[in-house]
């Protein structure tokens, strides 16, 4: 005969999720909504997660503290926002000249990435799950053309803090501004340049109207991964069925967020170029100088930060192996396709 | 007060899954096992799916018939195996010079791919979910070097049937052989060349011992997607919670299979090269001739197969847009990383 159904101890569980993002970023904020919807559906309505935009419960950058202190059960965030607490957070998201989106997923799901990051996040009472990727971001909007590394001296650049640190030796003055303040600052010339995400999100904020030069690639985030950060006691209190639902809902959110960016960026790029935006690659000497600067920072961090060192050693080895493999069949296929009239 | 828990009508449901793959392909066969494990966990053991290797219940290429006739509830397969029933199946998996892995996921999850393929699969009583991707495959193992398109005349090539059709105008004699029969045929010279998957799977079959030249890219499968094919009546009989679990378990399987290939191919490639395998790109004239031949076949199919035409029009437009976008930030970032000493 059939086995008896397993008893579910946790009827009508409720969690609060704090997102680091505003509702206007439908791709990213929408990923947390998809996650909550999935958990609700799979549990037959028994496990409800309410999703709160940045600032509703805690500020955008307060989500790690909130999960650590169990103010909220779960957060959806970009771990590199917590560079100031420890740069090791960035290895679970993106570091300059790091892994691309597929490589990051490979490191997480089949390499040592998830295991190593969980060891690190345990200090913050966090159990994490990958929760989306934007793909390689753009390098940002520049009022003036950058012809060589000399042109970035004195440049006030609103950027990712790790990118700012890499560029400081060359005279960049990194700026920190919330998304909503970038447009007026760029319009007035209070800042010279700003990077945000990519065509789909950037078009909404209208940066093309106040800065004509759109540079690529965003080498400081070649495949930034978002995460769900769960308070460890909230996690441990879950029954196995709920744990498995969380894992699967996060995985579905992970793949769907990348799909949304990949599907929506091309029409946005077309619209930007149609309205006069000039697409430009960073000059070779900027790329090379930044790469060397980044590698020096990684060596320095490894010498003084044991958490960084432990994760970085595995990450760097994986990065080297991945780039050898990807340059054969993947890159050759893509390059051929990109050079055809389709 | 708390809402009452939803009543689950379907306790102790059992499904049988027919895989098109042998147990020895741990990455692919293991993806169906992961899927079944997830559904079992999430349902608290109430929904059990038994996973059967190719040949156990039905032959590898009998799984569409088996799902269509409800002999099994679900299959895990590569839809392009059913090229002979209708080439439209291939658009849900891979066609020569088609979408890469990320682009295929984008088309499925955020483009029109899933909707269009479901319309087509409905004729076979199938409801499908993406269920893995290998990434761009290798072009295969060749006993002799291919220096130009002239060298493929008369070549007995064990390959994907769509690739065979593309290459027939240039004198290739396509061969059809099960995986286990390739090694002896290649060793004896009964065939001149064979393609299978990529380093991780190919190394297991030992092709490097009998053919020294390993070509790339496998332009006939730049991002082949596997699918779960579910009998439509079995699907419709599910309660909403079970439906949602199936969708999430498939999504997790989808991302994890790609991660396994990406993480495991690099060490296998290293081992192959260390044992004497020569990695070679297909000559430019082979790529160009094959591309033109493929595009002509797509035009011919569009003229006479309305199912193909409807899906192809959307697929081709998406392919064009994706390749414009990917050549900027993604390709430039990857190319830079691949050219560094890491």
């Amino acid at each position: 005969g059939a086995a008896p159904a397993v008893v579910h101890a946790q009827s009508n569980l409720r969690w609060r999720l704090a997102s680091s993002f505003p509702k206007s970023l439908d791709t990213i904020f929408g990923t947390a909504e998809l996650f909550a919807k999935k958990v609700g559906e799979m549990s037959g309505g028994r496990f409800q997660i309410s999703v709160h935009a940045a600032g509703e419960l805690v500020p955008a950058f307060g989500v790690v503290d909130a999960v650590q202190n169990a103010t909220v059960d779960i957060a959806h965030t970009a771990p590199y926002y917590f560079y100031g607490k420890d740069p090791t957070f960035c290895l679970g998201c993106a570091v300059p000249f790091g892994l691309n989106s597929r490589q990051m997923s490979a490191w997480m799901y089949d390499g040592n990435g998830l295991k190593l990051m969980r060891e690190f996040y345990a200090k913050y009472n966090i159990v994490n799950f990958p929760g989306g990727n934007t793909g390689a971001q753009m390098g940002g909007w520049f009022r003036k053309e950058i012809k060589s590394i000399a042109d970035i001296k004195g440049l006030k650049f609103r950027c990712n803090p790790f990118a700012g640190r890499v560029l400081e030796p060359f005279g960049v003055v990194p700026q920190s501004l919330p998304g909503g303040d970038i447009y007026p600052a760029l319009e007035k010339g209070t800042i010279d340049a700003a990077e945000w995400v990519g065509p789909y999100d950037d078009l909404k904020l209208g940066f093309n109207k106040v800065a004509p030069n759109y540079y690529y690639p965003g080498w400081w985030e070649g495949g930034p991964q978002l995460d769900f950060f769960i308070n460890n006691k909230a996690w441990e209190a879950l029954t196995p069925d709920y744990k498995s639902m969380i894992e699967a809902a996060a995985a579905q959110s992970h793949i769907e967020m990348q799909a949304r960016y990949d599907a929506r960026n091309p029409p946005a790029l077309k619209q930007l170029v149609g309205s006069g935006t000039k697409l430009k690659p960073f000059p070779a000497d900027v790329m090379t100088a930044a790469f060397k600067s980044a590698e020096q920072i990684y060596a320095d961090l490894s010498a003084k930060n044991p958490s960084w060192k432990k994760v970085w050693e595995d990450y760097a080895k994986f990065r080297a192996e991945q780039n050898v493999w990807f340059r054969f069949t993947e890159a050759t296929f893509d390059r051929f396709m990109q050079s055809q009239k389709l």
Side-chain angles (χ1 to χ4, degrees), chain A residues 83 87 90 94-96 159-167 219-220 294 297-298 301 308:
Chain A
Y83 171 83
C90 302
V95 295
C159 62
N160 167 308
F162 217 147
R165 182 162 167 199
V166 167
L167 290 172
W219 44 260
W220 48 90
I297 291 169
Y298 303 152
L301 281 169
W308 171 278

Side-chain angles (χ1 to χ4, degrees), chain A residues 128-171:
Chain A
N128 72 306
F129 289 90
N133 199 306
T134 62
Q137 296 196 3
M138 290 290 288
W141 300 87
F142 291 69
R143 286 162 56 96
K144 291 187 186 158
E145 203 179 345
I146 303 294
K147 290 182 182 163
S148 79
I149 188 82
D151 290 339
I152 71 167
K153 190 167 182 182
L155 193 86
K156 289 180 192 156
F157 185 22
R158 187 276 175 199
C159 62
N160 167 308
F162 217 147
R165 182 162 167 199
V166 167
L167 290 172
E168 272 180 329
F170 312 104

Side-chain angles (χ1 to χ4, degrees), chain A residues 92-111:
Chain A
C93 179
V95 295
F97 304 102
L99 300 172
N100 71 19
S101 175
R102 262 178 61 185
Q103 294 164 352
M104 191 69 188
S105 291
W107 186 57
M108 281 284 149
Y109 287 102
D110 202 60

Side-chain angles (χ1 to χ4, degrees), chain A residues 227-296:
Chain A
D227 266 67
F228 293 102
F229 280 171
I230 300 173
N231 174 270
N232 61 347
K233 289 210 172 61
W235 171 252
E236 286 154 18
L238 294 179
T239 46
D241 55 339
Y242 281 8
K243 282 184 177 171
S244 189
M245 286 176 202
I246 291 284
E247 182 189 56
Q252 184 172 340
S253 304
H254 186 66
I255 185 81
E256 290 211 20
M257 183 173 133
Q258 182 64 79
R260 288 176 187 185
Y261 273 105
D262 286 343
R264 298 174 195 190
N265 274 324
L269 182 74
K270 195 175 172 182
Q271 199 176 328
L272 288 169
V273 171
S275 75
T277 289
K278 292 171 198 159
L279 284 174
K280 290 177 184 168
F282 280 121
D285 68 347
V286 170
M287 295 294 289
T288 305
F291 179 74
K292 280 185 193 156
S293 173
E295 294 292 296
Q296 184 58 52

Side-chain angles (χ1 to χ4, degrees), chain A residues 34-99:
Chain A
L34 170 66
F35 171 81
K37 177 172 168 279
K38 286 298 301 181
V39 173
E41 283 174 1
M42 290 193 280
S43 65
R46 293 175 295 128
F47 188 175
Q48 295 288 344
I49 300 175
S50 59
V51 179
H52 303 272
E56 267 185 44
L57 301 176
V58 292
F61 303 144
V63 301
V64 163
D65 292 341
V67 170
Q68 187 171 5
N69 304 330
T71 306
V72 298
D73 309 285
I74 180 169
H76 187 231
T77 193
Y80 63 16
Y81 289 153
F82 307 96
Y83 171 83
K85 284 184 186 288
D86 189 325
T88 310
F89 274 95
C90 302
L91 290 168
C93 179
V95 295
F97 304 102
L99 300 172

